[in-house]
């Protein structure tokens, strides 16, 4: 069953490490899965966003104003800032460096993630705190 | 100090800006109050530390690699990123210029707040996202 496979995948990700198995099964049901070839633009700087991604396999490059910023890989969350702060446009462009498989998170699923799974929202907050420290 | 003033100061902390009154009141009951003499180093750049502080009275200087980069006063939070990013080193040194009255938030109290008020994590994530957007788009010279 797709959900069980998803749930195993989530167990390997730091974002969901503090969740119970039961929570991971519930969370897995929130996501669709997508596969895109290398070169695909996942999110575009300046656009309003309506989805986030959680990388399962492959890597993606982040750039701001055309300048390379970082490379993301399995377990990383992509495009969440636009879902946290919906009035603002995407702050960066993220492009698949290799072929990528990822979970797709729509706004309603993301809201459920934040509201129903505080261990996950805490991890998301922690990741943002780390990035804020790096940016200062 | 009146309870209203303590609550107002906590509300000013960016990380807790989106919290409800109920959540802030619980936070208020969880912070300790302390007084530290002038010259005290509250946080030290490069060290891993886990408490956060809010300056109630007094002023402090922020330094990075020995160079003065800012000043802090009443209402300013110190080290609050460490509550979330436990392993990360402090990003600057903060030294009290004068005697300081501070609120101290220990990790255990912070965890209690999050356990009892799960919505706080979401509030903090949103506040951080906004701050991050501003920080990443700040012009560099």
């Amino acid at each position: 069953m797709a959900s069980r496979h998803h749930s195993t995948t989530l167990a390997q990700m730091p974002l969901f490490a503090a969740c119970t198995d039961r929570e991971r099964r519930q969370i897995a049901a929130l996501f669709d899965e997508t596969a895109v070839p290398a070169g695909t633009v996942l999110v575009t700087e300046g656009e309003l966003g309506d989805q986030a991604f959680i990388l399962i396999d492959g890597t993606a490059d982040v750039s701001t104003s055309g300048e390379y910023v970082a490379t993301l890989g399995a377990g990383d969350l992509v495009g969440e800032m636009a879902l946290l702060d919906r009035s603002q446009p995407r702050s960066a462009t993220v492009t698949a460096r290799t072929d990528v498989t990822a979970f797709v998170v729509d706004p309603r699923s993301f809201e459920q993630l934040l509201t129903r799974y505080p261990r996950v929202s805490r991890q998301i907050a922690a990741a943002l705190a780390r990035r804020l420290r790096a940016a200062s | 100090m009146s309870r209203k003033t303590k609550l107002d100061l906590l509300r000013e902390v960016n990380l807790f800006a989106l919290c409800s009154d109920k959540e802030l009141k619980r936070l208020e009951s969880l912070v300790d109050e302390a007084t530290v003499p002038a010259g005290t180093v509250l946080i030290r750049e490069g060290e891993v530390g886990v408490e956060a502080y809010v300056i109630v009275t007094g002023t402090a200087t922020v330094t990075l690699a020995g160079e003065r980069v800012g000043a802090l006063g009443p209402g300013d939070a110190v080290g609050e990123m460490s509550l979330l990013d436990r392993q990360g080193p402090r990003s600057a040194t903060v030294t009290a210029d004068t005697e300081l009255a501070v609120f101290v938030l220990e990790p255990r109290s912070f965890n209690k707040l999050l356990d009892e008020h799960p919505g706080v994590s979401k509030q903090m994530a949103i506040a951080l996202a906004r701050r991050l957007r501003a920080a990443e788009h700040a012009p560099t010279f």
Side-chain angles (χ1 to χ4, degrees), chain B residues 78-100:
Chain B
V78 179
E80 75 281 19
M81 291 295 118
S82 290
L83 291 170
L84 288 162
D85 175 25
R86 300 282 186 85
Q87 278 94 33
R90 304 286 201 184
S91 52
T93 297
V94 176
T95 311
D97 300 323
T98 66
E99 180 181 87
L100 300 177

Side-chain angles (χ1 to χ4, degrees), chain A residues 45 64 81-82 84-85 88-91 111 114-115 118 121-122 124-126 128-133 135-136, chain B residues 81-86 88-91 110-111 114 118 121-122 125-126 128-133 135-137:
Chain A
E45 185 178 350
T64 307
M81 278 173 62
L84 283 165
D85 189 6
Q88 299 298 314
R90 300 279 197 193
S91 58
E111 182 63 27
L114 287 182
T115 310
S121 33
R122 185 168 179 173
I124 293 173
L128 290 168
R130 279 191 290 275
R131 277 170 65 186
L132 195 56
R133 272 185 155 155
S136 308
Chain B
M81 291 295 118
S82 290
L83 291 170
L84 288 162
D85 175 25
R86 300 282 186 85
R90 304 286 201 184
S91 52
F110 182 65
N111 287 342
L114 260 47
S121 290
K122 176 185 170 182
I126 296 172
L128 286 164
R130 290 183 182 159
R131 234 170 112 176
L132 188 58
R133 187 181 296 279
E136 285 177 344
H137 282 82

Side-chain angles (χ1 to χ4, degrees), chain B residues 31-46:
Chain B
V31 300
D32 297 318
E33 294 186 46
T35 305
V36 299
T40 306
V41 175
L42 282 179
I43 63 171
R44 205 179 290 272
E45 184 184 344

Side-chain angles (χ1 to χ4, degrees), chain B residues 2-13 21 24 28 54 75 103:
Chain B
S2 70
R3 287 190 55 164
K4 193 186 177 201
T5 309
K6 200 171 169 182
L7 204 67
D8 286 339
L9 276 169
L10 291 171
R11 191 177 280 115
E12 280 177 39
V13 177
D21 280 353
L24 285 171
E28 180 192 351
V54 180
F103 296 146

Side-chain angles (χ1 to χ4, degrees), chain A residues 82-95:
Chain A
L83 293 185
L84 283 165
D85 189 6
R86 308 246 12 229
S87 61
Q88 299 298 314
R90 300 279 197 193
S91 58
T93 294
V94 180
T95 312

Side-chain angles (χ1 to χ4, degrees), chain A residues 7-50:
Chain A
S7 157
T8 311
T9 306
L10 292 179
Q12 287 153 11
M13 297 176 171
L15 198 54
F16 305 103
C19 297
T20 63
D21 283 340
R22 185 156 181 259
E23 285 171 337
R24 279 191 286 262
R25 278 198 298 278
Q26 291 169 352
I27 292 168
L30 294 173
F31 308 144
D32 285 328
E33 193 174 312
T34 189
V36 297
T40 306
V41 175
L42 291 170
V43 302
T44 307
E45 185 178 350
E47 290 187 352
L48 287 176
D50 62 357

